[in-house]
């Protein structure tokens, strides 16, 4: 039985931008990575720099292992609302 993921707007994700409550967008999916911050091999700031934002480009710029890519599923909480995904919501870093 497949679980339907909740949709979040980019504005909703943007509210979760602190060390205590950190969500990111990658590949039009929403991840709550709060519990992973201290475990991240590159340090928590590498993720916090993109808290509440789209981190896809930053993730792809680093040669993450297949294991790291598979770990994403652990933190998946939803998808980016289709109106945001179709418009290609840009990262504020671009």
């Amino acid at each position: 039985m497949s679980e339907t993921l909740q949709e979040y707007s980019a504005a909703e994700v943007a509210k979760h931008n602190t060390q205590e409550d950190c969500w990111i967008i990658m590949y039009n999916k929403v991840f709550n990575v709060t519990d992973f911050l201290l475990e991240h091999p590159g340090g928590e700031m590498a993720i916090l720099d993109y808290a509440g934002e789209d981190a896809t480009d930053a993730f792809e710029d680093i040669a993450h292992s297949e294991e790291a890519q598979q770990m994403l599923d652990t933190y998946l909480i939803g998808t980016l609302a289709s109106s945001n995904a179709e418009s290609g919501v840009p990262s504020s870093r671009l």
Side-chain angles (χ1 to χ4, degrees):
M1 191 182 292
S2 68
E3 181 181 328
T4 302
L5 293 171
Q6 183 167 342
E7 282 193 346
Y8 296 96
S9 68
E12 175 63 27
V13 175
K15 295 176 187 177
H16 302 270
N17 61 3
T18 68
Q19 184 175 13
E20 294 78 27
D21 183 22
C22 183
W23 292 11
I24 58 173
I25 299 166
M26 290 198 319
Y27 308 107
N28 294 322
K29 295 178 182 178
V30 179
F31 300 88
N32 180 344
V33 294
T34 307
D35 292 338
F36 180 66
L37 291 175
L38 294 176
E39 298 174 31
H40 187 259
E44 64 187 78
M45 288 309 298
I47 296 175
L48 284 172
D49 283 346
Y50 295 93
E53 301 177 10
D54 190 319
T56 305
D57 289 340
F59 185 81
E60 289 181 346
D61 285 347
I62 304 298
H64 282 92
S65 67
E66 187 173 322
E67 179 183 0
Q69 294 175 18
Q70 291 172 352
M71 283 180 67
L72 288 174
D73 288 340
T74 305
Y75 303 100
L76 179 65
I77 60 168
T79 60
L80 189 61
S82 56
S83 61
N84 295 128
E86 290 169 5
S87 66
V89 174
S91 167
S92 64
R93 301 267 178 241
L94 300 177

